[in-house]
Amino acid sequence: MASLLELAWTTNTSARRADVLEAAVEAAAGLAADGFALIWLLSGERLVLRAAAGHLRHVHSGLRTDFQPGEGLAGAAAQVRELLVVDEPATDPRTRQSAFLLAEEVRGFVGAPLVASYALEGVLGVFSRRAGWPDAATREALAGLAARAALALESARLFADSERRRRAADGLAAVGQALTQSLDPAEVAHLIADSVLALLEARDVVVYQLDPSSGDLVSMAFAGEGAAGFRHPVVLPPGAGVSGRAVAERKPIVTTDVLGDPRFTHPAEHRARLERAGYSAAVAAPLLVAGEPIGALGAASVRGRVFDDEARALLEAFADQAAVALHSARLFAAERQARAEAQALERRFHDLVHGVDAVLTEIETPSRRVLFINGRVQPLLGYTVEQWMREPDFWRAHIHPEDRERALAVNEAGIASGGDFVHEYRMVTGDGRTVWIRDSVTVAPERLHSLKVDVTARKRTEALLAGESEVLTLIAAGEPLPRVLDALCRVIDAQDDDMLCAVQLVEDGRLRSLVGPGLPEAYARATDGATVGPASAACGTAAYRRQPVIAEDIAVDPLWDADRAAALAHGLRACWAVPVLDVAGLPLAIVAVYCRTARGPRADERVLMSRAARLAGIAIERARAEQALRASEQQYRTLITNIPDVVWLTDSAGRTVFVSPHVQRVGGYTAEELYRAGPGAWFGRVHPDDLPMVQKHFVALFGGPGRTFDLEYRLQHKDGRWIWIHDRAVTTYEAQGVTYAYGIYTDITDRKRAEEIRALLLNQVITVQEEERRRIARELHDETAQSLASLLLGLSALRESRTLKGARSAAAELHQVATRALAEVRRLAGGLRPSALDDLGLPDAVTRYAAEFGQMRGLAIEVDTSGLGAGRMPPAVETALYRIMQEALSNVARHAGARHARVQLDRFGAMVSMVVSDDGAGFDPDRPPAPATAAHGLGIHTMRERALVLNGTLTIQSAPGRGTRVSVEIPVSEGRP
């Protein structure tokens, strides 16, 4: 009987399969008469020996420890699924170990299949050396023992499966759950290091503990590739390295150059190891408990990896959990040993019944009357034993209303099935609290035995971890900030019926209510826009002080003088506010927890608030970062859309991956057309003479880092004409094994045409100069030289003249010759530069030329120079305007077919303008002009070049049938003649 009670105690208090096996096999061995007991558990398709108790008379070797169902006596019991009793088992044909049984003088065998609620768990085999064993009572006891052991083993297995699923949960929530369950500091440290390594994608992660006596940081866990390069443990003197600096400053430290950053000092040996490891970026966070460091968490990576604010925040969150977990592990290490020793002394029935932290009840099945209940009912549920036993249906009445129907249905179904069952539900305690109960019910004839365990803490932890996982998932998915924070508040609210969580953003010195699903809407509206100040309730004061503010009783707290009435009117009696700070220490938001009862937070609730603030900070920082990224992307998109050049992205095969919208303006093709065309969209449009050069440089661009691509070549426009572009690659990068190149090209057709025209103009100028020189030389030779020769001959004749009359006649002829020569010289000079421009100035020269040109070409030309004023302009400006006017009127006469033209000159301060307009045929200025040659097509370009030489501009406005307007503006110095 004692063994059975011990088994009952073990199965109800321990979820470990080893404990259950030990208790069950010991109990079974106690029922064997001079024998022993074995337990085989089903593992896959085989029964494997897992436990043994009793005594053997001989030492045996080579015995089989596993069987298939149906093989051997154990397999036979598993196959028939009922109690198997065999007399003289050594001679039974099903036996596989006859020699062993004979040597041990076994006379009787009982095989009890361990069948639980869902499946076969294993087989309990009991061997006795007494003939005629077992009797009926022993059989019944063994059957009951097997049933209880099967249920306990199933519960242990289900519990183990639940643990594995929980440990398999994704991300930070799973890590946090595992941390809360581990009490081994080394195990916790290794778990943290492995988790941070995976989440941060770092190369190496190390967890340090602080030696209180020396202040050194001593490594206790290392994860990553570089562990082999360090001698463990790694010891850092106070303040050394990134982790030492983080501990010294009590805040996270991030660097992109761990060896070159002047903030850090490294011992020589440690520096050498860092160099060998090739570390570049590093991040470290102190492990703080109550503001005091107990260690550090650091991560490092090679060049190219940068730890951003999100990585820093994630590491800091891990550091917070690591600090709590390691601190708890230290505190509970001794306690765990003490608890183990205490549990070893409490294995007796009386201590089991009255000392176990559960409510044990025995119920009469037909009447549902409570026959027994232990004294733990009062501390766990707040009810006396007398209340529970005296009042009918006491248990039913105190199940939570939302769970009552389901719990009663499960209970009745379990009793009807006749098998043991377990279910979970909520109960309302004597003081009004709600607790979760795990009720393990064993069904016996006419009796129910119930073990009710308070699993509220586990349920809250599971809910908290699941909620944190959901919040982190929402953050990672980029959900809107209000939705993320609403989910966070609901996680906090679910931890206690008395708590209501809200989040307020800090904006321009005021609190803006963002979310608070449990708060009364009227109160949320009333507090929206509250000021931040030294006495502005709990939330405004927390934002002002940048530290938590606890108001245990709003009714008497002086910080609530101005806001007390509103809070009390909505039943709010306490408020705990925690600020969410950014990296600069400025408040981003306030996480507030309101309570309907006046009280302060417990230690676990303070940790809960800290975790909530940390998650809120991650969410807000992430939202701000995404907002900044969107703004940056919009700026980049605006830049790409508005610059006149074409930005492109292509792979090494020449396929266009991206091209900016201006590509249609430059080349005529839309971006979609270029995407569909593939590599031919580019190479297929390059001029045949330029294609080899372009392909050569394009291939070289992808040949290695640091290569450039900077070419000018011709590209065919969609309308068939050739345009010149200046194309250059900015950079190359690789993504998922594919190398890409960024580039930008500019339409330089106008520049190329201008260069060609400048060359033609220069050639024409040289040609004109030579022709002018030949003309002047010819005229000097044919006319002026002959006149001078005649003058010389006449002078010779005058010298030989013998009479005064002859001399006078010769002098008269010489005068005529000299007059003609002077006229020829003046004519030549006038042809080179109009004298009126120098003698009379620009207004009169333009007026005279327009009158002569109009009379010669039959064109009515109106000249208005009244806006020039009386002063002269620099000669270069007057000459340029005069020549542009000549060329413009020449174009009117040759091409416009106009009847009237107008020349208007004005001066506005330091700018002189001239407009030449006509009423002729006009033309389309946007139509690409025909290529210019030395023979034609240089007029407009000549005028534009004359203006550009003097930093001026020339614009042409025209349309078919609407005439033409040529405008020139040239800057002149104010007051300069």
Side-chain angles (χ1 to χ4, degrees), residues 222-241:
F222 203 114
E225 303 174 12
F230 289 82
R231 182 182 302 168
H232 298 281
V234 176
V235 179
L236 291 179

Side-chain angles (χ1 to χ4, degrees), residues 68-409:
Q68 290 184 348
E71 182 184 13
L73 296 178
Q79 192 173 42
V80 298
R81 299 287 181 96
E82 62 184 21
L83 200 68
L84 178 65
V85 180
V86 180
D87 293 329
E88 301 299 338
T91 61
D92 191 288
R94 295 171 291 184
T95 300
R96 295 291 184 269
Q97 308 272 15
S98 296
F100 164 71
L101 298 178
L102 288 172
E104 291 295 330
E105 302 178 13
V106 174
R107 304 296 302 277
F109 168 78
V110 175
L114 304 178
V115 180
S117 303
Y118 304 105
L120 177 71
E121 296 290 333
V123 174
L124 169 63
V126 185
F127 302 82
S128 175
R129 297 182 179 89
R130 293 184 182 177
W133 180 89
D135 56 20
T138 303
R139 292 185 185 186
E140 183 179 356
L142 286 173
L145 174 64
R148 180 175 291 279
L151 180 61
L153 287 171
E154 181 185 55
S155 297
R157 177 175 56 79
L158 293 176
F159 180 78
D161 291 344
S162 175
E163 287 297 299
R164 283 193 296 273
R165 287 193 297 271
R166 182 167 56 183
R167 287 194 298 271
D170 184 43
L172 183 60
V175 173
Q177 182 177 4
L179 290 177
T180 60
Q181 295 179 347
S182 177
L183 296 177
D184 184 357
E187 182 182 348
V188 170
H190 282 287
L191 179 60
I192 293 168
D194 291 338
S195 302
V196 173
L197 183 73
L199 290 175
L200 291 189
E201 299 181 357
R203 183 186 178 196
D204 294 300
V205 174
V206 62
V207 180
Y208 293 97
Q209 61 181 345
L210 184 66
D211 186 343
S213 60
S214 64
D216 294 342
L217 288 176
V218 182
S219 65
M220 58 186 305
F222 203 114
E225 303 174 12
F230 289 82
R231 182 182 302 168
H232 298 281
V234 176
V235 179
L236 291 179
V242 182
S243 296
R245 176 56 58 184
V247 170
E249 296 185 8
R250 288 173 168 75
K251 67 179 182 180
I253 298 291
V254 180
T255 181
T256 58
D257 186 1
V258 67
L259 292 173
D261 197 319
R263 294 179 294 172
F264 311 123
T265 59
H266 305 282
E269 183 179 1
H270 188 65
R271 174 176 285 275
R273 291 170 179 165
L274 294 176
E275 291 174 348
R276 287 196 302 270
Y279 293 150
S280 176
V283 59
L287 307 184
L288 302 176
V289 174
E292 293 300 320
I294 65 169
L297 175 61
S301 189
V302 295
R303 188 170 302 279
R305 175 72 164 92
V306 176
F307 295 109
D308 55 14
D309 289 343
E310 186 175 353
R312 175 198 57 74
L314 186 59
L315 185 76
E316 189 175 4
F318 265 95
D320 290 343
Q321 295 197 33
V324 174
L326 291 176
H327 184 61
S328 298
R330 290 179 177 180
L331 293 178
F332 285 105
E335 181 184 348
R336 181 174 55 185
Q337 180 63 29
R339 188 186 305 117
E341 295 175 356
Q343 288 176 348
L345 299 176
E346 295 176 354
R347 293 182 179 269
R348 302 173 65 177
F349 176 73
H350 183 272
D351 293 335
L352 168 65
V353 173
H354 296 283
V356 66
D357 194 17
V359 178
L360 298 173
T361 56
E362 185 178 25
I363 304 168
E364 186 179 54
T365 306
S367 65
R368 302 295 195 269
R369 182 169 60 90
V370 177
L371 301 177
F372 169 81
I373 186 167
N374 67 341
R376 294 298 298 169
V377 65
Q378 186 163 359
L380 290 179
L381 297 177
Y383 303 112
T384 64
V385 173
E386 291 74 17
Q387 284 179 295
W388 197 286
M389 298 187 66
R390 183 179 63 249
E391 299 179 19
D393 294 331
F394 186 89
W395 171 70
R396 296 168 180 252
H398 291 84
I399 299 175
H400 194 283
E402 295 179 3
D403 297 347
R404 183 175 297 136
E405 182 177 353
R406 175 181 56 81
L408 293 177

Side-chain angles (χ1 to χ4, degrees), residues 838-888:
D838 294 327
D839 298 340
L840 304 177
L842 180 63
D844 291 340
V846 169
T847 302
R848 178 177 296 182
Y849 180 84
E852 294 175 356
F853 185 85
Q855 184 177 5
M856 180 176 61
R857 295 299 186 100
L859 185 66
I861 301 175
E862 178 186 355
V863 177
D864 182 2
T865 63
S866 59
L868 280 180
R872 294 291 296 270
M873 290 177 289
V877 175
E878 290 187 340
T879 301
L881 291 172
Y882 185 81
R883 296 301 186 192
I884 292 173
M885 179 270 302
Q886 285 181 311
E887 184 64 34

